[in-house]
mmCIF file of all heavy atoms in Angstrom:
data_model
loop_
_atom_site.group_PDB
_atom_site.id
_atom_site.type_symbol
_atom_site.label_atom_id
_atom_site.label_comp_id
_atom_site.label_asym_id
_atom_site.label_seq_id
_atom_site.Cartn_x
_atom_site.Cartn_y
_atom_site.Cartn_z
ATOM 1 N N LEU A 1 81.248 100.851 68.804
ATOM 2 C CA LEU A 1 82.692 101.014 68.692
ATOM 3 C C LEU A 1 82.978 102.422 68.225
ATOM 4 O O LEU A 1 82.439 102.874 67.214
ATOM 5 C CB LEU A 1 83.267 100.010 67.682
ATOM 6 C CG LEU A 1 84.735 100.168 67.316
ATOM 7 C CD1 LEU A 1 85.630 99.948 68.538
ATOM 8 C CD2 LEU A 1 85.105 99.210 66.206
ATOM 9 N N CYS A 2 83.809 103.125 68.979
ATOM 10 C CA CYS A 2 84.199 104.479 68.599
ATOM 11 C C CYS A 2 85.530 104.397 67.870
ATOM 12 O O CYS A 2 86.547 104.062 68.461
ATOM 13 C CB CYS A 2 84.309 105.370 69.830
ATOM 14 S SG CYS A 2 84.714 107.075 69.420
ATOM 15 N N ASN A 3 85.512 104.670 66.569
ATOM 16 C CA ASN A 3 86.718 104.675 65.754
ATOM 17 C C ASN A 3 87.368 106.046 65.912
ATOM 18 O O ASN A 3 86.872 107.048 65.406
ATOM 19 C CB ASN A 3 86.370 104.398 64.292
ATOM 20 C CG ASN A 3 87.593 104.269 63.424
ATOM 21 O OD1 ASN A 3 88.652 104.802 63.725
ATOM 22 N ND2 ASN A 3 87.427 103.572 62.315
ATOM 23 N N GLU A 4 88.477 106.094 66.633
ATOM 24 C CA GLU A 4 89.107 107.368 66.963
ATOM 25 C C GLU A 4 89.800 108.021 65.766
ATOM 26 O O GLU A 4 90.021 109.222 65.770
ATOM 27 C CB GLU A 4 90.094 107.177 68.110
ATOM 28 C CG GLU A 4 89.400 106.787 69.395
ATOM 29 C CD GLU A 4 90.363 106.529 70.535
ATOM 30 O OE1 GLU A 4 91.572 106.760 70.367
ATOM 31 O OE2 GLU A 4 89.891 106.098 71.596
ATOM 32 N N GLU A 5 90.148 107.237 64.734
ATOM 33 C CA GLU A 5 90.824 107.806 63.570
ATOM 34 C C GLU A 5 89.921 108.750 62.794
ATOM 35 O O GLU A 5 90.339 109.835 62.403
ATOM 36 C CB GLU A 5 91.318 106.697 62.643
ATOM 37 C CG GLU A 5 92.464 105.904 63.222
ATOM 38 C CD GLU A 5 92.917 104.799 62.288
ATOM 39 O OE1 GLU A 5 92.488 104.770 61.112
ATOM 40 O OE2 GLU A 5 93.706 103.954 62.735
ATOM 41 N N ASN A 6 88.688 108.328 62.550
ATOM 42 C CA ASN A 6 87.779 109.173 61.783
ATOM 43 C C ASN A 6 86.538 109.581 62.578
ATOM 44 O O ASN A 6 85.595 110.119 62.017
ATOM 45 C CB ASN A 6 87.379 108.486 60.477
ATOM 46 C CG ASN A 6 86.761 107.128 60.700
ATOM 47 O OD1 ASN A 6 86.353 106.801 61.795
ATOM 48 N ND2 ASN A 6 86.685 106.337 59.656
ATOM 49 N N MET A 7 86.556 109.308 63.862
ATOM 50 C CA MET A 7 85.483 109.683 64.792
ATOM 51 C C MET A 7 84.105 109.165 64.359
ATOM 52 O O MET A 7 83.098 109.822 64.512
ATOM 53 C CB MET A 7 85.447 111.200 64.989
ATOM 54 C CG MET A 7 86.715 111.747 65.617
ATOM 55 S SD MET A 7 87.188 110.919 67.168
ATOM 56 C CE MET A 7 85.895 111.477 68.254
ATOM 57 N N LYS A 8 84.070 107.943 63.839
ATOM 58 C CA LYS A 8 82.804 107.309 63.483
ATOM 59 C C LYS A 8 82.387 106.356 64.589
ATOM 60 O O LYS A 8 83.227 105.778 65.267
ATOM 61 C CB LYS A 8 82.940 106.523 62.179
ATOM 62 C CG LYS A 8 83.002 107.384 60.954
ATOM 63 C CD LYS A 8 82.933 106.527 59.717
ATOM 64 C CE LYS A 8 82.938 107.406 58.479
ATOM 65 N NZ LYS A 8 82.825 106.596 57.257
ATOM 66 N N ILE A 9 81.100 106.196 64.747
ATOM 67 C CA ILE A 9 80.542 105.243 65.700
ATOM 68 C C ILE A 9 79.997 104.075 64.894
ATOM 69 O O ILE A 9 79.171 104.249 64.003
ATOM 70 C CB ILE A 9 79.436 105.886 66.550
ATOM 71 C CG1 ILE A 9 80.024 107.043 67.349
ATOM 72 C CG2 ILE A 9 78.792 104.845 67.457
ATOM 73 C CD1 ILE A 9 78.999 107.890 68.051
ATOM 74 N N ILE A 10 80.488 102.872 65.199
ATOM 75 C CA ILE A 10 80.102 101.678 64.458
ATOM 76 C C ILE A 10 79.342 100.742 65.395
ATOM 77 O O ILE A 10 79.884 100.304 66.409
ATOM 78 C CB ILE A 10 81.343 100.962 63.897
ATOM 79 C CG1 ILE A 10 82.143 101.923 63.023
ATOM 80 C CG2 ILE A 10 80.940 99.713 63.129
ATOM 81 C CD1 ILE A 10 83.514 101.420 62.654
ATOM 82 N N PRO A 11 78.084 100.432 65.064
ATOM 83 C CA PRO A 11 77.341 99.478 65.900
ATOM 84 C C PRO A 11 77.757 98.048 65.575
ATOM 85 O O PRO A 11 77.975 97.694 64.413
ATOM 86 C CB PRO A 11 75.885 99.726 65.512
ATOM 87 C CG PRO A 11 75.954 100.246 64.117
ATOM 88 C CD PRO A 11 77.260 100.984 63.995
ATOM 89 N N ILE A 12 77.895 97.239 66.599
ATOM 90 C CA ILE A 12 78.238 95.825 66.446
ATOM 91 C C ILE A 12 77.216 95.025 67.249
ATOM 92 O O ILE A 12 77.010 95.294 68.427
ATOM 93 C CB ILE A 12 79.659 95.535 66.977
ATOM 94 C CG1 ILE A 12 80.679 96.353 66.201
ATOM 95 C CG2 ILE A 12 79.971 94.054 66.919
ATOM 96 C CD1 ILE A 12 82.067 96.306 66.805
ATOM 97 N N GLN A 13 76.587 94.053 66.605
ATOM 98 C CA GLN A 13 75.614 93.219 67.311
ATOM 99 C C GLN A 13 76.269 91.931 67.776
ATOM 100 O O GLN A 13 76.957 91.261 67.006
ATOM 101 C CB GLN A 13 74.419 92.896 66.422
ATOM 102 C CG GLN A 13 73.348 92.126 67.175
ATOM 103 C CD GLN A 13 72.106 91.903 66.357
ATOM 104 O OE1 GLN A 13 72.145 91.822 65.145
ATOM 105 N NE2 GLN A 13 70.978 91.796 67.044
ATOM 106 N N VAL A 14 76.053 91.597 69.040
ATOM 107 C CA VAL A 14 76.548 90.338 69.594
ATOM 108 C C VAL A 14 75.644 89.237 69.064
ATOM 109 O O VAL A 14 74.436 89.256 69.288
ATOM 110 C CB VAL A 14 76.529 90.354 71.140
ATOM 111 C CG1 VAL A 14 77.006 89.028 71.698
ATOM 112 C CG2 VAL A 14 77.355 91.504 71.684
ATOM 113 N N ILE A 15 76.247 88.277 68.333
ATOM 114 C CA ILE A 15 75.437 87.219 67.714
ATOM 115 C C ILE A 15 75.713 85.835 68.284
ATOM 116 O O ILE A 15 74.977 84.895 67.992
ATOM 117 C CB ILE A 15 75.631 87.199 66.185
ATOM 118 C CG1 ILE A 15 77.090 86.943 65.826
ATOM 119 C CG2 ILE A 15 75.099 88.462 65.552
ATOM 120 C CD1 ILE A 15 77.318 86.599 64.365
ATOM 121 N N GLU A 16 76.768 85.724 69.096
ATOM 122 C CA GLU A 16 77.109 84.398 69.626
ATOM 123 C C GLU A 16 77.900 84.538 70.922
ATOM 124 O O GLU A 16 78.743 85.419 71.046
ATOM 125 C CB GLU A 16 77.961 83.660 68.583
ATOM 126 C CG GLU A 16 78.230 82.229 68.870
ATOM 127 C CD GLU A 16 78.974 81.555 67.724
ATOM 128 O OE1 GLU A 16 79.146 82.149 66.645
ATOM 129 O OE2 GLU A 16 79.411 80.405 67.939
ATOM 130 N N GLU A 17 77.596 83.668 71.871
ATOM 131 C CA GLU A 17 78.354 83.568 73.118
ATOM 132 C C GLU A 17 78.955 82.170 73.165
ATOM 133 O O GLU A 17 78.243 81.181 72.998
ATOM 134 C CB GLU A 17 77.443 83.779 74.324
ATOM 135 C CG GLU A 17 78.155 83.582 75.647
ATOM 136 C CD GLU A 17 77.205 83.699 76.822
ATOM 137 O OE1 GLU A 17 76.883 84.811 77.216
ATOM 138 O OE2 GLU A 17 76.772 82.632 77.314
ATOM 139 N N ILE A 18 80.257 82.099 73.361
ATOM 140 C CA ILE A 18 80.953 80.815 73.398
ATOM 141 C C ILE A 18 81.549 80.648 74.794
ATOM 142 O O ILE A 18 82.324 81.489 75.235
ATOM 143 C CB ILE A 18 82.075 80.763 72.348
ATOM 144 C CG1 ILE A 18 81.494 81.020 70.957
ATOM 145 C CG2 ILE A 18 82.802 79.438 72.407
ATOM 146 C CD1 ILE A 18 82.528 81.352 69.918
ATOM 147 N N THR A 19 81.174 79.564 75.468
ATOM 148 C CA THR A 19 81.721 79.269 76.789
ATOM 149 C C THR A 19 82.593 78.030 76.667
ATOM 150 O O THR A 19 82.146 76.987 76.213
ATOM 151 C CB THR A 19 80.603 79.019 77.810
ATOM 152 O OG1 THR A 19 79.744 80.154 77.848
ATOM 153 C CG2 THR A 19 81.173 78.791 79.198
ATOM 154 N N ARG A 20 83.834 78.182 77.101
ATOM 155 C CA ARG A 20 84.781 77.063 77.054
ATOM 156 C C ARG A 20 85.204 76.750 78.486
ATOM 157 O O ARG A 20 85.612 77.627 79.235
ATOM 158 C CB ARG A 20 85.999 77.440 76.216
ATOM 159 C CG ARG A 20 86.962 76.297 76.095
ATOM 160 C CD ARG A 20 88.029 76.477 75.062
ATOM 161 N NE ARG A 20 88.562 77.811 74.963
ATOM 162 C CZ ARG A 20 89.705 78.103 74.375
ATOM 163 N NH1 ARG A 20 90.440 77.149 73.855
ATOM 164 N NH2 ARG A 20 90.141 79.325 74.306
ATOM 165 N N THR A 21 85.106 75.484 78.842
ATOM 166 C CA THR A 21 85.503 75.038 80.169
ATOM 167 C C THR A 21 86.779 74.213 80.042
ATOM 168 O O THR A 21 86.832 73.258 79.280
ATOM 169 C CB THR A 21 84.394 74.189 80.813
ATOM 170 O OG1 THR A 21 83.189 74.945 80.827
ATOM 171 C CG2 THR A 21 84.766 73.811 82.232
ATOM 172 N N THR A 22 87.795 74.641 80.789
ATOM 173 C CA THR A 22 89.063 73.925 80.793
ATOM 174 C C THR A 22 89.443 73.623 82.240
ATOM 175 O O THR A 22 88.742 74.024 83.176
ATOM 176 C CB THR A 22 90.185 74.768 80.151
ATOM 177 O OG1 THR A 22 90.449 75.904 80.971
ATOM 178 C CG2 THR A 22 89.819 75.210 78.759
ATOM 179 N N ILE A 23 90.555 72.979 82.420
ATOM 180 C CA ILE A 23 91.040 72.681 83.760
ATOM 181 C C ILE A 23 91.340 73.970 84.534
ATOM 182 O O ILE A 23 91.311 73.998 85.757
ATOM 183 C CB ILE A 23 92.265 71.747 83.701
ATOM 184 C CG1 ILE A 23 92.496 71.105 85.061
ATOM 185 C CG2 ILE A 23 93.491 72.480 83.200
ATOM 186 C CD1 ILE A 23 93.392 69.893 85.013
ATOM 187 N N GLU A 24 91.601 75.024 83.800
ATOM 188 C CA GLU A 24 91.915 76.317 84.423
ATOM 189 C C GLU A 24 90.678 77.149 84.730
ATOM 190 O O GLU A 24 90.776 78.206 85.334
ATOM 191 C CB GLU A 24 92.861 77.088 83.512
ATOM 192 C CG GLU A 24 94.187 76.376 83.343
ATOM 193 C CD GLU A 24 94.966 76.883 82.150
ATOM 194 O OE1 GLU A 24 94.436 77.688 81.367
ATOM 195 O OE2 GLU A 24 96.113 76.434 81.997
ATOM 196 N N GLY A 25 89.513 76.704 84.281
ATOM 197 C CA GLY A 25 88.287 77.430 84.565
ATOM 198 C C GLY A 25 87.456 77.662 83.316
ATOM 199 O O GLY A 25 87.713 77.085 82.269
ATOM 200 N N LYS A 26 86.476 78.545 83.452
ATOM 201 C CA LYS A 26 85.576 78.856 82.335
ATOM 202 C C LYS A 26 86.011 80.156 81.684
ATOM 203 O O LYS A 26 86.457 81.083 82.349
ATOM 204 C CB LYS A 26 84.135 78.976 82.819
ATOM 205 C CG LYS A 26 83.530 77.660 83.208
ATOM 206 C CD LYS A 26 82.056 77.793 83.490
ATOM 207 C CE LYS A 26 81.486 76.422 83.823
ATOM 208 N NZ LYS A 26 80.042 76.457 83.964
ATOM 209 N N GLU A 27 85.819 80.185 80.378
ATOM 210 C CA GLU A 27 86.180 81.371 79.602
ATOM 211 C C GLU A 27 85.040 81.666 78.628
ATOM 212 O O GLU A 27 84.545 80.767 77.948
ATOM 213 C CB GLU A 27 87.462 81.080 78.829
ATOM 214 C CG GLU A 27 87.898 82.159 77.895
ATOM 215 C CD GLU A 27 89.118 81.724 77.102
ATOM 216 O OE1 GLU A 27 90.122 81.334 77.721
ATOM 217 O OE2 GLU A 27 89.046 81.764 75.870
ATOM 218 N N LYS A 28 84.617 82.921 78.571
ATOM 219 C CA LYS A 28 83.566 83.306 77.634
ATOM 220 C C LYS A 28 84.153 84.184 76.551
ATOM 221 O O LYS A 28 84.954 85.082 76.823
ATOM 222 C CB LYS A 28 82.458 84.085 78.341
ATOM 223 C CG LYS A 28 81.516 83.241 79.123
ATOM 224 C CD LYS A 28 80.335 84.045 79.596
ATOM 225 C CE LYS A 28 79.436 83.190 80.448
ATOM 226 N NZ LYS A 28 78.257 83.921 80.895
ATOM 227 N N ASN A 29 83.755 83.889 75.317
ATOM 228 C CA ASN A 29 84.094 84.726 74.178
ATOM 229 C C ASN A 29 82.807 85.091 73.469
ATOM 230 O O ASN A 29 81.824 84.335 73.511
ATOM 231 C CB ASN A 29 85.024 83.989 73.201
ATOM 232 C CG ASN A 29 86.433 83.904 73.730
ATOM 233 O OD1 ASN A 29 87.001 84.906 74.122
ATOM 234 N ND2 ASN A 29 86.984 82.704 73.755
ATOM 235 N N TYR A 30 82.827 86.228 72.817
ATOM 236 C CA TYR A 30 81.647 86.708 72.110
ATOM 237 C C TYR A 30 82.005 87.009 70.665
ATOM 238 O O TYR A 30 83.082 87.522 70.381
ATOM 239 C CB TYR A 30 81.104 87.973 72.776
ATOM 240 C CG TYR A 30 80.661 87.734 74.195
ATOM 241 C CD1 TYR A 30 81.541 87.913 75.254
ATOM 242 C CD2 TYR A 30 79.379 87.313 74.476
ATOM 243 C CE1 TYR A 30 81.145 87.679 76.563
ATOM 244 C CE2 TYR A 30 78.971 87.067 75.776
ATOM 245 C CZ TYR A 30 79.855 87.257 76.814
ATOM 246 O OH TYR A 30 79.459 87.017 78.105
ATOM 247 N N ILE A 31 81.082 86.669 69.766
ATOM 248 C CA ILE A 31 81.237 86.969 68.355
ATOM 249 C C ILE A 31 80.218 88.049 68.014
ATOM 250 O O ILE A 31 79.050 87.970 68.400
ATOM 251 C CB ILE A 31 80.991 85.716 67.474
ATOM 252 C CG1 ILE A 31 81.918 84.571 67.890
ATOM 253 C CG2 ILE A 31 81.136 86.049 65.994
ATOM 254 C CD1 ILE A 31 83.386 84.847 67.723
ATOM 255 N N GLY A 32 80.683 89.045 67.277
ATOM 256 C CA GLY A 32 79.807 90.132 66.860
ATOM 257 C C GLY A 32 79.820 90.261 65.353
ATOM 258 O O GLY A 32 80.663 89.694 64.664
ATOM 259 N N THR A 33 78.866 91.003 64.840
ATOM 260 C CA THR A 33 78.784 91.237 63.408
ATOM 261 C C THR A 33 78.690 92.735 63.125
ATOM 262 O O THR A 33 78.030 93.475 63.855
ATOM 263 C CB THR A 33 77.598 90.474 62.776
ATOM 264 O OG1 THR A 33 77.641 90.631 61.372
ATOM 265 C CG2 THR A 33 76.270 90.950 63.276
ATOM 266 N N PHE A 34 79.404 93.139 62.075
ATOM 267 C CA PHE A 34 79.376 94.536 61.635
ATOM 268 C C PHE A 34 78.178 94.759 60.717
ATOM 269 O O PHE A 34 77.698 93.820 60.079
ATOM 270 C CB PHE A 34 80.669 94.883 60.886
ATOM 271 C CG PHE A 34 81.858 95.047 61.774
ATOM 272 C CD1 PHE A 34 82.831 94.059 61.851
ATOM 273 C CD2 PHE A 34 82.027 96.197 62.527
ATOM 274 C CE1 PHE A 34 83.943 94.214 62.665
ATOM 275 C CE2 PHE A 34 83.125 96.354 63.346
ATOM 276 C CZ PHE A 34 84.090 95.376 63.411
ATOM 277 N N PRO A 35 77.729 95.992 60.583
ATOM 278 C CA PRO A 35 76.556 96.263 59.746
ATOM 279 C C PRO A 35 76.902 96.460 58.269
ATOM 280 O O PRO A 35 76.271 97.254 57.588
ATOM 281 C CB PRO A 35 76.009 97.556 60.362
ATOM 282 C CG PRO A 35 77.209 98.263 60.861
ATOM 283 C CD PRO A 35 78.122 97.166 61.363
ATOM 284 N N ASP A 36 77.925 95.758 57.766
ATOM 285 C CA ASP A 36 78.259 95.891 56.353
ATOM 286 C C ASP A 36 77.462 94.873 55.527
ATOM 287 O O ASP A 36 76.745 94.036 56.074
ATOM 288 C CB ASP A 36 79.764 95.727 56.127
ATOM 289 C CG ASP A 36 80.313 94.392 56.620
ATOM 290 O OD1 ASP A 36 79.518 93.550 57.070
ATOM 291 O OD2 ASP A 36 81.530 94.204 56.570
ATOM 292 N N SER A 37 77.577 94.939 54.225
ATOM 293 C CA SER A 37 76.784 94.063 53.353
ATOM 294 C C SER A 37 77.163 92.589 53.496
ATOM 295 O O SER A 37 76.346 91.711 53.241
ATOM 296 C CB SER A 37 76.946 94.494 51.895
ATOM 297 O OG SER A 37 78.304 94.392 51.497
ATOM 298 N N LYS A 38 78.391 92.302 53.934
ATOM 299 C CA LYS A 38 78.836 90.917 54.101
ATOM 300 C C LYS A 38 78.565 90.380 55.503
ATOM 301 O O LYS A 38 78.836 89.218 55.793
ATOM 302 C CB LYS A 38 80.331 90.812 53.816
ATOM 303 C CG LYS A 38 80.685 91.130 52.394
ATOM 304 C CD LYS A 38 82.181 91.032 52.195
ATOM 305 C CE LYS A 38 82.551 91.417 50.772
ATOM 306 N NZ LYS A 38 83.993 91.349 50.548
ATOM 307 N N LYS A 39 78.059 91.232 56.394
ATOM 308 C CA LYS A 39 77.809 90.848 57.792
ATOM 309 C C LYS A 39 79.072 90.239 58.406
ATOM 310 O O LYS A 39 79.064 89.142 58.964
ATOM 311 C CB LYS A 39 76.635 89.880 57.911
ATOM 312 C CG LYS A 39 75.322 90.440 57.432
ATOM 313 C CD LYS A 39 74.827 91.506 58.363
ATOM 314 C CE LYS A 39 73.449 91.982 57.939
ATOM 315 N NZ LYS A 39 73.015 93.113 58.700
ATOM 316 N N THR A 40 80.171 90.963 58.287
ATOM 317 C CA THR A 40 81.471 90.511 58.760
ATOM 318 C C THR A 40 81.410 90.160 60.238
ATOM 319 O O THR A 40 80.933 90.945 61.053
ATOM 320 C CB THR A 40 82.533 91.608 58.525
ATOM 321 O OG1 THR A 40 82.519 91.954 57.139
ATOM 322 C CG2 THR A 40 83.911 91.147 58.937
ATOM 323 N N LYS A 41 81.932 88.969 60.581
ATOM 324 C CA LYS A 41 81.949 88.511 61.965
ATOM 325 C C LYS A 41 83.324 88.768 62.568
ATOM 326 O O LYS A 41 84.334 88.683 61.885
ATOM 327 C CB LYS A 41 81.626 87.019 62.045
ATOM 328 C CG LYS A 41 80.217 86.691 61.623
ATOM 329 C CD LYS A 41 79.960 85.212 61.716
ATOM 330 C CE LYS A 41 78.551 84.891 61.249
ATOM 331 N NZ LYS A 41 78.287 83.448 61.313
ATOM 332 N N ILE A 42 83.338 89.055 63.881
ATOM 333 C CA ILE A 42 84.593 89.331 64.577
ATOM 334 C C ILE A 42 84.487 88.862 66.020
ATOM 335 O O ILE A 42 83.407 88.933 66.629
ATOM 336 C CB ILE A 42 84.943 90.834 64.512
ATOM 337 C CG1 ILE A 42 86.340 91.091 65.064
ATOM 338 C CG2 ILE A 42 83.901 91.671 65.215
ATOM 339 C CD1 ILE A 42 86.883 92.462 64.778
ATOM 340 N N ASN A 43 85.601 88.365 66.545
ATOM 341 C CA ASN A 43 85.669 88.040 67.968
ATOM 342 C C ASN A 43 85.773 89.369 68.708
ATOM 343 O O ASN A 43 86.698 90.146 68.474
ATOM 344 C CB ASN A 43 86.884 87.156 68.254
ATOM 345 C CG ASN A 43 86.900 86.649 69.668
ATOM 346 O OD1 ASN A 43 86.452 87.315 70.596
ATOM 347 N ND2 ASN A 43 87.431 85.465 69.841
ATOM 348 N N ILE A 44 84.844 89.645 69.585
ATOM 349 C CA ILE A 44 84.787 90.949 70.244
ATOM 350 C C ILE A 44 86.038 91.233 71.061
ATOM 351 O O ILE A 44 86.474 92.377 71.155
ATOM 352 C CB ILE A 44 83.494 91.059 71.083
ATOM 353 C CG1 ILE A 44 82.319 91.121 70.103
ATOM 354 C CG2 ILE A 44 83.519 92.264 72.002
ATOM 355 C CD1 ILE A 44 80.975 91.223 70.704
#
C-alpha cells in the first residue's frame, strides 16, 4: 500500500479469502493484516 500523504510503503499480507455465493452470483473478499504489533486486520 502506497500511503500518498507521507509517501510510506506499507506491506499487507493476505490472510483470508472469503467466498460468498448468493442468488446474484459469487463474491470474493480478502482479509489482510498490517505489520503492526496488534496484527490489525482489514478487509482489503
Side-chain angles (χ1 to χ4, degrees):
L1 172 63
C2 183
N3 185 335
E4 294 177 6
E5 290 179 11
N6 56 16
M7 297 307 291
K8 286 188 178 182
I9 299 171
I10 303 168
I12 300 170
Q13 185 175 29
V14 178
I15 60 167
E16 189 175 352
E17 176 184 280
I18 303 165
T19 303
R20 183 168 39 162
T21 304
T22 67
I23 197 163
E24 297 163 353
K26 289 188 178 186
E27 175 184 305
K28 282 189 183 182
N29 285 309
Y30 298 91
I31 304 297
T33 186
F34 286 104
D36 58 4
S37 61
K38 295 179 183 179
K39 298 290 185 187
T40 305
K41 294 180 182 179
I42 188 168
N43 187 327
I44 291 180

